[in-house]
Structures are given as C-alpha cells and as structure tokens.
Amino acid sequence: MALPGWPHDGSPFHPGEQEVQRRVGVRDKVEAIGRQAVRGLMPEQHRAFFAQLPFVVIGAVDEAGQPWASLLFGQPGFAHSSDPRTLSVMAMPVDGDPLSGAIRSGAALGLLGIELHTRRRNRVNGKVTSVDENGFAVEVEQSFGNCPQYIQKRSYRTVTETGALLPQPESLTELDAAAIARIAAADTFFIATHYAAPGDGAAYGADVSHRGGKPGFVRVDDASTLTWPDFVGNFYFNTLGNLQANPRAGLLFPDFETGELLYVAGRGEIVWDGDELRGFAGAERLVRFRIERVLRLAGRLPLRWQLEEASPILAGTGDWPAAEASAAMARPADSYRSFRITRVERESETIKSFYLEPADALGLARHQPGQFLPIRVRVPGVGTLMRTYTLSQAANGRDYRISVKRAGVVSDYLHDHVGVGSLIKALAPRGHFMLDAAGTRPVVLLSAGVGITPMLAMVGALFPDDGVGHRQRPAWFIHAARNGRDHAFGPWLRELAERHDKLRVHVRYSQPGGDDELGVTQDSVGRIDADLLRSLLPLDDYDVYLCGPTGFMRNAFWILRGLGVAKERIHYEFFGPGGTLDDAPASAGGAGSDLANHEPQTVHFARAGKTETWRQGSLLDLAEQAGLSPVYSCRSGLCGSCATRIVEGGVVYPAPPLTPPAAGEALICCARPGSKLVLDL
C-alpha cells in the first residue's frame, strides 16, 4: 500500500522556503510535489536505510540559537526506527562538539542519512522526545529522499582505537592557515540552518544538508568570509529558505582522511546576480558566508574514507578561477580579443562549426543560451568586416562554438580559408534572446534552417550531455529543413533525445532527398503548419523559442497564437531586436506563407537586372527570393553589413535599426520599401 504524502492542511514548506520558491518561479509546482514526496512518517525503505549507516549528520541549535552541523557515528544499527514515526540514535556528540548539551527533550533536530559509497541520502526532521546517556529518540515530522547529485563516492573503514590522547579543541574567531587550507581543498561540507516561528508548525525547525562540488568550490575570500555556488537541486530550498528567514548557519568540513572536524559558524547571504554568478558554470545562485566562530576537533572520527569517484554531474560545473576570469572578461565586453580556431566540423552541405578558444590565455566571458558572438574578419581584397553568429552550444567554460551557413563574403571566407590554428577577433557574447533558466513551463524550441543554432545552445543547457540541466522540464525540439543535406546536427539531437526522456524531437523536411528516410532522418514531410503543432503540443502553456527565416517565424507565431499560446510566452530571434511578429496575422497555410497589411511595391535590383514585387518581409528576404546573395550577418540592423546604396526611392523600418545607415543607404536586412525602389544590387 502506498504511504500517504504530507498529512497536514498547511504547506510542507515554511514562509522562507516559499519566498525562495516563488522568486525562482517554482512555487506552485514544488508545492504539489512536496505534498506527495514530503511525508509525516518514514517509509520502510528509509527505516532500513538508516539502520545500515555507520554515521548520520545532525543539525540543531545551541543555547544561543546558533545552528551547528555535526556527525554521530556507531556500528550499523545504532540509528534505527522502531515505528514509522520514530527514529532512535544510540550516540551523542563527542566531547568538545558544539552540540554537546543541545540534544534535549523538545529540541528541533535535522538528520541526514548519507551513504557515500552508494550516493544515497534521506532526510528526517523532527523533535527530540527522549534523551539518556546512550542516545535519543526523534519524533518524525518530515521525511523525504534526496537525489544523489554532487555526492562524491567514497569507501570507508573503521579506525581501531589507539588510546592516544587527542588534541584539545581549538576555538578561533576567524580562519587560520590550516583551516583555510582545509576548506580550499574540500569537495564536501554539511550546513545546518534553523527556522522558528509562532505556531510551531511541522514545516518549521532545524535542517541539515549536504553540499558538494569540485575541490575548491568553497572559495575563501578572506579569513572571515566564504563564498560557494548553489547548484540546481530539488527546488525545495530547505537551506536557502531558512537562510532567507534566519541567516544564522553552521558549516561542518570533515577531513575524510584524518578524521578532523572543522566547524564554522556565522551568517549566510544569498547572492542572486552579478558577473561572478554568471561566470560560474552550473551555478544558480551564490551564498556568501560571514564567519563568527571556528572550532576544530582533531582525530574525533572513528571512520576514514577513500575517494573512489567524483560526482559525474560536476563535469558540467565550473570553478572559481574560470568564474573570475569570465567576470573579468565581461567587464571589457566591447574590446575585441583574439581567438584561435581549435576545431572545424562540417554539419551539413552548407553549415560548418568553428570552435574558438582564447588566444590570450585569459578566460571566456560566459554566455547565456541564445546569445550571439560578434566577430571581426579581414577578408583579402575586401577589407575588415564584422558579423554576428549565434553561439550554438551551451556555455562550458572552455570554448565557443559558432555554426556558420555559407551565405556571403564572410561566411564564404570562413568556410574556404579558416581552419585549425587560424585567429579571428571577437567581442564578448551579447544579445537579449535567451533561455529563461528560471522558467517552469514546458519548453518548445521551434526553428527552421540555420535558425537551429540558438536552439542548440538552449537544448544543451536544458539537457546537458554530462548531467542535470537547469530545470529538467519537458521540452519539444521541432525543426524544419529542406532535406538531410541541409539539416545540421540531426544525429546529435536524436542521440540527446534518447538519453533524456523529457526531450522530444520532431523534424519535418519540405523536400526530402533520395538518402532521406522517413522515421530515421525526418519524422514528417511538408511545412510546419497548424495541424502538426496541434498534434505535437496538446497543451497551451508553453514557453516557446522561435528562430528561422522571417516568413517562417511570422507564420509560426500566429499559428501558436491560434493554438492558445499567450503572446508573452513566445520569444523569437531576429539575431537582435530588429522587428516584431505580432503586427499582422498569418494565414493558416504552411510556414512559407506570410501576411502583412502593406501595399505591394516594385523593387529593382540594378546590378542584377532583376525586378521583383515586394509584398512582405525585408528587402533582404526579397533579394534572396530573387536568387541574389547580398552580404549580411545579423538581420537586425546591428552590424551594418548589409548596407546597400539606394539609387532611387526610399525605405522604411518597422523598428529603428541599432546602427543607422549612412545617408543614401539602406540596411536591407530590416528595411521595407516606402515607395518604388531601385537598389544598387
């Protein structure tokens, strides 16, 4: 029989936890999950789990109200549960422990059962009901499991008592050299926090949690200050919620090799934004900790551990040197730097990927999924040209990747002349089309052609190859291409979807080739239309990210609106703020159709000797439809690459370009004819 969930009318989360959940945008979802997963009693498997442990972690407050984390240990079975609402622990804190005397009847206690060699952990919070010289019993108020993220795998052994005298406890007001060295090398610590409020609710009390990272993930800022990253977790925010309401906390850094226990007490502050946070890969927030007291107990643990394997999810997280270098690079964001091409890969007949690493040995400015990289290239016989290319992979702290479609002077030069070892200049990443990492809704990534590039960075952030992404929310990746020859990254996307059950991929080809196979290279044939999106997306509450040719995006925008997706949920990329999709509805036809309430105009391309009738879209769209290949990059009036001389007539801009053209020129990527027009193309 299934155990009941949360047995109380009130929330399993207190106001501090709820405030953090609300700020991150997961409040309603986590409330529903918590009512199922947080119980008022211990499941049978949790009771058996605690009984097999050689140690447990506890969190409580001393007489002054200061929280401390500590370890209790014994032979397996020393922690046991006689019934689902009781956990008994036959051990007490060692001499000199800050929680000596704090475990008394009625005291709030948090317990963490953690098995390092299996990476399992379960939590119990409650109140002490009885105490004697051998141990104590706790009445269970909250019981729930935790995932194995960030736990380093360690095997243990018991140390035989030698009878040697142990050093006396050392009490300090700040870190000394030995404490700094211990923390700087740590890959694990435990943190105790406490929340109390009138009403004595079951969601209140003490808590103790595990924190893990690469060695050095806790930065020693000075002898009185620590900073560490807060990675994505279960979104309960037990620790941060307590800190939000009560900043006092206690940290415990165990030395797994020597048995030393280093206790640190002080006050924690949540850092929600800043260059350091943005530069630390995998960090959702930072915690800055002001130290008030330090206590060191040498050789107290009768257990020793040997590291077997670091948590595999840590491969997707950064470190402080990289974060600090990234923050430093973000400050001179408008200065060009040299980057060396370290890898070139052909993704399709028309698209190549270029991997760029800094040539100056400094760090990378971290980018957000969806942003672009401005580059500067000297093309022989033409001059120095600027282009912007979307970064096509999630930030990894090592390199940038741009995936370039052959479509003009600079792209031709990159395809034909730039290889491994070549140098190009680039600014720091920028752009406002970004994945909302704090979102909780299902995600739709909808693209066509080379518009796939920002979506690759987004899907890579949501579903990384080497760990858990920002939110692990359901996502649809829907892509339109002409055929397999034009389609880039198809095999990689399908492999990613096979590894993540919350990611679904659908590819539609409009003109399949002889080597294309339905169900293998593509999932359907035709253009992306209302029937397809309706069949794939049964709900209407999505965050949609849209990128591709203007006509495709406009039509997709109005199809989504017709399916009930709110306008504010549809985010799109013109590779810069160069236009809007909601100025006119589209037809119910395929992705190539586009309606706009403007009079048709005649446009003559003088050098090509071609005359076309403009009805919608930009002049660049019209030129491409006429078979011309004008120079362009950003399609938004940002880079000025597409500036074209006006021979006769005038142009209008639906939105002012960021870089106004010179007199007598038009930025054809974002301009429309204002009258009969002749262009020098």
Side-chain angles (χ1 to χ4, degrees):
M1 182 178 68
L3 286 168
W6 185 242
H8 308 287
D9 292 335
S11 174
F13 305 107
H14 63 65
E17 294 165 329
Q18 293 178 33
E19 182 177 347
V20 177
Q21 292 165 6
R22 194 171 292 112
R23 175 163 187 160
V24 174
V26 298
R27 173 73 195 106
D28 293 341
K29 182 176 181 179
V30 171
E31 177 70 18
I33 293 173
R35 286 187 173 276
Q36 298 177 35
V38 181
R39 300 183 173 96
L41 49 78
M42 295 179 68
E44 187 59 39
Q45 65 180 30
H46 290 196
R47 298 172 64 198
F49 174 73
F50 272 91
Q52 68 193 32
L53 298 175
F55 78 99
V56 295
V57 191
I58 64 169
V61 297
D62 62 15
E63 291 183 353
Q66 171 63 50
W68 296 92
S70 187
L71 299 183
L72 302 178
F73 38 81
Q75 293 296 317
F78 85 103
H80 58 276
S81 173
S82 58
D83 62 73
R85 300 186 186 279
T86 304
L87 179 64
S88 299
V89 180
M90 296 297 100
M92 295 294 280
V94 298
D95 290 342
D97 189 289
L99 290 182
S100 294
I103 301 179
R104 54 190 180 275
S105 184
L109 203 66
L111 296 103
L112 172 66
I114 184 167
E115 195 170 60
L116 298 181
H117 64 281
T118 64
R119 295 195 174 104
R120 292 179 62 194
R121 57 176 166 170
N122 292 301
R123 304 268 281 277
V124 170
N125 295 335
K127 287 189 171 56
V128 177
T129 55
S130 62
V131 185
D132 60 28
E133 65 275 11
N134 297 316
F136 57 91
V138 173
E139 179 184 8
V140 175
E141 293 181 335
Q142 288 188 326
S143 174
F144 54 95
N146 278 152
C147 62
Q149 296 184 94
Y150 317 113
I151 299 177
Q152 327 297 349
K153 184 176 182 180
R154 284 184 160 91
S155 57
Y156 77 93
R157 61 185 175 87
T158 302
V159 178
T160 304
E161 292 288 344
T162 64
L165 292 176
L166 294 174
Q168 290 295 309
E170 299 176 72
S171 182
L172 308 167
T173 57
E174 62 180 24
L175 301 174
D176 62 9
I180 289 173
R182 168 90 290 277
I183 294 173
D187 62 20
T188 300
F189 73 93
F190 302 98
I191 177 169
T193 53
H194 184 265
Y195 178 86
D200 198 31
Y204 303 167
D207 180 79
V208 66
S209 296
H210 163 277
R211 290 292 184 270
K214 295 175 181 176
F217 80 109
V218 181
R219 186 181 68 188
V220 182
D221 300 328
D222 54 49
S224 298
T225 312
L226 305 175
T227 303
W228 64 84
D230 186 67
F231 301 129
V232 66
N234 60 11
F235 306 112
Y236 290 1
F237 295 117
N238 306 117
T239 297
L240 296 190
N242 282 354
L243 291 178
Q244 186 75 16
N246 173 18
R248 302 182 76 175
L251 316 181
L252 174 64
F253 293 88
D255 189 322
F256 294 108
E257 295 180 358
T258 69
E260 177 183 283
L261 297 171
L262 182 68
Y263 305 82
V264 181
R267 296 173 183 267
E269 171 194 4
I270 306 170
V271 179
W272 294 99
D273 199 6
D275 288 342
E276 282 190 327
L277 171 59
R278 288 187 289 271
F280 202 115
E284 303 276 304
R285 292 149 294 274
L286 303 178
V287 177
R288 188 150 290 129
F289 193 79
R290 312 293 181 183
I291 297 170
E292 298 175 349
R293 185 182 171 195
V294 180
L295 181 66
R296 182 163 45 224
L297 301 181
R300 296 310 200 266
L301 280 174
L303 305 172
R304 301 290 186 271
W305 285 265
Q306 180 176 346
L307 180 65
E308 300 289 345
E309 180 187 49
S311 170
I313 200 171
L314 294 178
T317 64
D319 55 49
W320 282 112
E324 289 158 5
S326 176
M329 290 305 100
R331 288 187 280 273
D334 294 323
S335 300
Y336 278 96
R337 299 170 58 203
S338 290
F339 287 81
R340 179 171 286 106
I341 304 297
T342 59
R343 210 162 107 211
V344 179
E345 293 184 353
R346 181 172 292 281
E347 311 293 359
S348 74
E349 286 190 356
T350 58
I351 295 175
K352 276 187 177 181
S353 287
F354 299 85
Y355 293 77
L356 294 74
E357 291 185 5
D360 54 14
L362 298 176
L364 290 175
R366 189 182 179 204
H367 67 278
Q368 298 302 313
Q371 289 188 306
F372 58 82
L373 187 73
I375 70 169
R376 188 171 67 190
V377 177
R378 182 170 180 78
V379 180
V382 178
T384 299
L385 301 176
M386 296 177 294
R387 295 291 186 271
T388 57
Y389 293 110
T390 303
L391 290 153
S392 61
Q393 68 179 7
N396 59 23
R398 300 185 303 273
D399 56 21
Y400 295 138
R401 183 180 74 185
I402 57 175
S403 299
V404 179
K405 180 180 179 180
R406 184 189 286 273
V409 174
V410 174
S411 59
D412 285 349
Y413 178 77
L414 292 173
H415 274 246
D416 296 336
H417 300 288
V418 172
V420 174
S422 297
L423 294 176
I424 63 174
K425 298 280 190 178
L427 297 175
R430 59 200 63 204
H432 301 290
F433 179 65
M434 295 180 289
L435 175 73
D436 178 11
T440 59
R441 297 176 185 82
V443 172
V444 177
L445 306 175
L446 182 55
S447 59
V450 77
I452 196 173
T453 52
M455 307 309 179
L456 295 170
M458 293 181 185
V459 76
L462 289 166
F463 301 97
D465 290 331
D466 49 15
V468 175
H470 277 88
R471 293 290 176 261
Q472 285 292 286
R473 21 183 184 152
W476 266 105
F477 197 120
I478 305 169
H479 181 66
R482 185 175 301 152
N483 49 49
R485 295 189 303 276
D486 289 344
H487 183 196
F489 299 97
W492 178 81
L493 268 176
R494 294 195 182 278
E495 291 172 8
L496 191 68
E498 288 177 1
R499 293 196 300 273
H500 297 277
D501 58 6
K502 291 188 177 181
L503 172 62
R504 298 183 181 182
V505 173
H506 188 99
V507 174
R508 172 165 279 198
Y509 287 172
S510 60
Q511 301 173 30
D515 295 332
D516 298 329
E517 182 179 351
L518 192 65
V520 178
T521 55
Q522 81 273 20
D523 301 288
S524 61
V525 176
R527 294 184 182 274
I528 290 179
D529 54 23
D531 289 339
L532 176 66
L533 296 183
R534 188 180 296 109
S535 68
L536 297 178
L537 308 175
L539 307 175
D540 58 11
D541 191 22
Y542 297 94
D543 281 329
V544 181
Y545 297 86
L546 179 60
C547 187
T550 303
F552 164 82
M553 290 199 297
R554 190 178 302 283
N555 194 67
F557 178 89
W558 286 103
I559 289 174
L560 291 164
R561 295 288 288 114
L563 294 177
V565 181
K567 181 173 68 174
E568 59 270 20
R569 304 280 181 239
I570 305 174
H571 315 276
Y572 46 88
E573 169 70 307
F574 282 107
F575 299 99
T580 180
L581 296 180
D582 59 358
D583 58 352
S587 71
S593 63
D594 181 16
L595 295 181
N597 295 323
H598 302 284
E599 290 294 326
Q601 299 290 349
T602 299
V603 177
H604 180 66
F605 300 106
R607 279 187 282 158
K610 292 186 176 183
T611 300
E612 300 288 334
T613 300
W614 176 91
R615 290 184 173 84
Q616 51 83 28
S618 70
L619 288 167
L620 176 58
D621 295 332
L622 185 67
E624 290 177 330
Q625 292 166 19
L628 306 184
S629 298
V631 174
Y632 74 92
S633 179
C634 68
R635 301 191 86 109
S636 68
L638 173 65
C639 69
S641 303
C642 67
T644 301
R645 187 171 68 88
I646 300 173
V647 179
E648 181 183 332
V651 299
V652 295
Y653 297 95
L658 285 179
T659 305
E665 291 185 345
L667 299 182
I668 62 172
C669 71
C670 55
R672 298 173 177 177
S675 61
K676 181 179 178 181
L677 183 66
V678 179
L679 293 175
D680 185 21
L681 274 176

